[in-house]
Structure formats: structure tokens, C-alpha cells
Amino acid sequence: MRLSENANPLAKNAAVPLYEQLKFALKEMISTRALGPGDTIPTEPELCKQYNVSRITVRRAIADLEAEGLLEKRHGKGTFVTLPKMETSLLNLGGFSESFGLRRYHVEKSILELGEESAGEDLGQKLGIDPSATVLHVSRLITADGTPFTIESSYFSLDLFPGLVSEIHDDTSLYNLLQTQYGREVKHAKRVISCRVATPKENTIFHCKSGDIIFEVEKTVFGEDRTIPLQYSILLTPSTRMNLVIEV
């Protein structure tokens, strides 16, 4: 993003260090949405020229804002304004479209993988089907305001949902599809949550740093009958982007 030529200059003779003043100026741009989530901030040379400061000053200000979680560097792409940390209720049955849409974020989904495969022992047990049965696997990347947020990998029994592969597109709401096309409404859910270090591939997709922690949520959803799983999924989300909340 290019800065306005009318940006307020820094006070070089003030008691407040220049890097602190620059931090405040950038925070002001973020809080007023002049720089929104997912936007790139001006480059180091642009900031140096606009505010008449050294690269050392710029780098310290940016490093502090990274430490505060307001900015993140993406290798080869620049420095971006981060998405505010989400709060997701573990008692909510809604999908991501519903959750983030209510928070006025623009949600987009893109299919990473879509295909049929044999269930095998593990998936067969989780979906309550024979290991030789065929399941549909769909993996999608979900972004909020352009920021990669979650990888959702879902599995469905094709005996329960025949023809499902032709119904799923990038922006399909899975829960709405199950209800409208197959008469199966999600009524109950079981979640198992763990934390682990992100893999190199996940770091690349999420623009995370090496060593960052990922929430891994295993989710099984049911209709009225809790003995018949409708969907088994694994959701991966960087811990820096989401708080998991339980209200009792």
C-alpha cells in the first residue's frame, strides 16, 4: 500500500523514541482501517522516505508490531496486517460460513482436494461404516478477509450421501447441502482438540513461522440419531488466529 503524502511527520526532538512514534502511526492506520486485515503495509524504503527515518527505526517498529500480533511477515511477499484473533465457541454447531459471516468477515473457500477413496479401518470406525465402503474426501482452504485461516478436511459415506461429489463446489455450505439435498440436519457434534507444531507445508499455506502451534480439531457430526455419523472432519487452524471458547 502506498502512503498518503499528507501523513503526519514524526517529532524528531520529542522525548518519545522515533520507532515508538512510527509504531503509533502504523497502529493508527490499522485501527482506522486505512490498513485493513490482509493489507500489505508500505515497504521499508517507503516508510523511511515518508517519515524521514532510518531502516533501523523502521525495522524495530515493525518487529514490535509483529510481537504484538498486529503484523506478520510473509517470505517473498511483504509484511501484512493480521486478522484480529477470532473467538469460536466449541458449543456452536454452525460451520465457518455462519460463524465468520456473523462477524462481518468476507469468507472464501477453495477446494484443495476432492475425490473418492476406500474408508479403511480408521475412517470406517469413525463413520460407522465397513472399511471397504467408499467415502468422499473434500479438503478446502478457508480464508477470512483474504487471510488463510483453516484447512478443513471432511469425509462422508457415499452410501449415506450418493452423488455428493457433484454437489460440492468451492463456496458450498456443507451443512446446508446435507439438509436441503439429503434431508439430514446436523443436530449434535463431538470435538476432540489437540495442539501440535505446524508442518513445513502448513507453514507455507498459513504463512506461519517455523515452530508455530496449530489447533487440530477432530469433529464428528450427527443428526437426531447419534449412532449415525454424518461427517468426520479434521480442522487445522493456527493458534495465533483463534481462541477456542467454552461457555457453561
Side-chain angles (χ1 to χ4, degrees):
M1 175 179 175
R2 199 178 167 127
L3 282 170
S4 166
E5 295 296 329
N6 297 319
N8 293 329
L10 305 184
K12 298 220 167 184
N13 295 322
V16 179
L18 289 174
Y19 79 90
E20 288 281 3
Q21 294 182 52
L22 181 55
K23 274 175 56 180
F24 178 81
L26 292 173
K27 279 185 173 181
E28 188 73 11
M29 294 172 71
I30 293 170
S31 66
T32 60
R33 304 283 291 193
L35 285 170
D39 287 345
T40 55
I41 69 167
T43 63
E44 287 184 6
E46 287 174 334
L47 289 170
C48 289
K49 180 179 179 181
Q50 181 66 38
Y51 290 100
N52 192 23
V53 292
S54 68
R55 282 208 174 199
I56 293 175
T57 296
V58 169
R59 286 174 181 171
R60 182 164 181 184
I62 290 174
D64 280 6
L65 292 174
E66 278 189 275
E68 293 176 20
L70 295 176
L71 298 177
E72 63 179 7
K73 285 186 178 178
R74 301 178 187 173
H75 183 68
K77 294 186 176 181
T79 302
F80 293 74
V81 178
T82 58
L83 195 72
K85 206 167 186 180
M86 302 281 190
E87 284 196 353
T88 298
S89 172
L90 294 176
L91 303 181
N92 178 26
L93 289 176
F96 276 94
S97 297
E98 294 81 1
S99 298
F100 294 163
L102 291 174
R103 293 170 173 81
R104 298 183 182 178
Y105 290 106
H106 177 61
V107 176
E108 292 185 316
K109 307 166 192 172
S110 57
I111 293 175
L112 302 177
E113 297 178 57
L114 178 64
E116 299 177 5
E117 59 187 70
S118 294
E121 292 290 342
D122 188 49
L123 275 177
Q125 183 178 25
K126 293 182 185 305
L127 287 172
I129 58 178
D130 192 273
S132 63
T134 303
V135 298
L136 177 67
H137 171 215
V138 55
S139 179
R140 297 191 295 183
L141 175 64
I142 300 172
T143 63
D145 278 358
T147 298
F149 200 84
T150 291
I151 297 173
E152 177 191 54
S153 295
S154 298
Y155 300 87
F156 303 88
S157 166
L158 287 180
D159 288 337
L160 200 59
F161 302 108
L164 184 60
V165 65
S166 63
E167 300 286 346
I168 294 179
H169 308 286
D170 283 337
D171 59 351
T172 299
S173 171
L174 295 177
Y175 289 179
N176 184 61
L177 176 63
L178 299 187
Q179 182 174 0
T180 58
Q181 295 296 318
Y182 297 93
R184 300 276 186 168
E185 184 178 0
V186 172
K187 291 288 190 178
H188 306 283
K190 174 186 175 181
R191 292 179 174 92
V192 178
I193 303 163
S194 58
C195 299
R196 61 171 175 78
V197 175
T199 66
K201 181 179 179 180
E202 291 161 355
N203 283 334
T204 300
I205 293 174
F206 289 123
H207 310 304
C208 292
K209 297 177 183 176
S210 177
D212 276 3
I213 301 300
I214 291 278
F215 285 130
E216 182 173 288
V217 180
E218 291 186 66
K219 183 178 179 182
T220 308
V221 300
F222 308 85
E224 290 287 0
D225 188 344
R226 291 187 186 227
T227 66
I228 303 176
L230 303 182
Q231 173 201 33
Y232 169 73
S233 60
I234 299 175
L235 299 98
L236 305 176
T237 305
S239 63
T240 55
R241 295 179 191 162
M242 182 169 66
N243 287 325
L244 300 175
V245 179
I246 299 177
E247 297 180 4
V248 295

